[in-house]
Amino acid sequence: MGFIIKDGILHKYEENKFFRKTAVRIPYGVRAVSVRAFANCTSLEKIIIPDSVKIIGSNAFSGCINLKELTIPESVEIIQRSAFPEHLMIQIQIGHNLYTCKAVAGIVFSAVRNLLTETDYENGLCKGLSAEIKYSLLFQKLNYHTDSETIREYLLHHCTEAFSFLLETYPEQLPHVLSECLTQENIDSFIREAIKQQSYEIQMIFTNYKYQHFEFRAQKLEFL
């Protein structure tokens, strides 16, 4: 009874019929939680995942109807579909910060490096996440310089919501996010989009950033 682990993969957790634990800690060193590894472990209320885990397989925790607490460490890079019971409120850890989100159709996006693929943005999969989680993760992901163009394109079309959220919740992060998000090539597109969305406060932020950080002598010469 207990954990069945081989080559760093947790294949199965078997409950003891005579002494059922309500909380377990996956041993450190496990790299992957296999498909249906904890399926139908109805006595478990809390599972602790170590930061050695990188992959969580599909239906890994399905049928865990009494599971109340599960924290996903930042090390996790891939979470397959239907990994969690839909009722579960899951904590997503990013560095030292914890965010809470409800499993949406059994799908949860965790690792900053692999959060939301190119098509996931427009497929609406991110709509189940609160604005706090969604934009915090997107802004954090810019720091990894992976998928940056896709994130910038998404933020371009949602600039009013995204940057208004940033102003209200994490204003101290605004200079850093602007430096990661705005480039010489895309700054005018962001300004036009803010005007289109009638967000003049965001427009002024973009415009001020443009003239503080980029060189536009070519345009100025047109007015001489």
Side-chain angles (χ1 to χ4, degrees), residues 22-25 43-48 66-70:
T22 58
V24 295
R25 180 190 296 270
S43 65
L44 291 178
E45 298 178 5
K46 178 180 180 180
I47 300 174
I48 301 173
N66 291 309
L67 193 59
K68 300 174 182 176
E69 184 176 345
L70 182 68

Side-chain angles (χ1 to χ4, degrees), residues 8 38-39 56 63 75 92 120 136 150 175 189 192:
F38 287 87
I56 297 176
S75 62
I92 298 175
D120 286 337
S136 294
T150 303
S189 296
R192 285 194 295 271

Side-chain angles (χ1 to χ4, degrees), residues 28-30 49-54 73-76:
Y28 186 85
V30 168
I49 302 176
D51 60 11
S52 60
V53 172
K54 294 183 178 296
E74 190 181 5
S75 62
V76 175

Side-chain angles (χ1 to χ4, degrees), residues 98-100 129-137 165 169-170:
L98 282 177
Y99 301 93
T100 301
L129 300 178
S130 68
E132 180 180 10
I133 296 175
K134 178 170 62 177
Y135 290 120
S136 294
L137 290 175
F165 162 79
T169 53
Y170 304 109

Side-chain angles (χ1 to χ4, degrees), residues 167-183:
L167 275 175
E168 293 174 7
T169 53
Y170 304 109
E172 70 283 356
Q173 293 185 17
L174 183 62
H176 172 69
V177 171
L178 289 174
S179 67
E180 293 291 335
C181 189
L182 302 182
T183 67

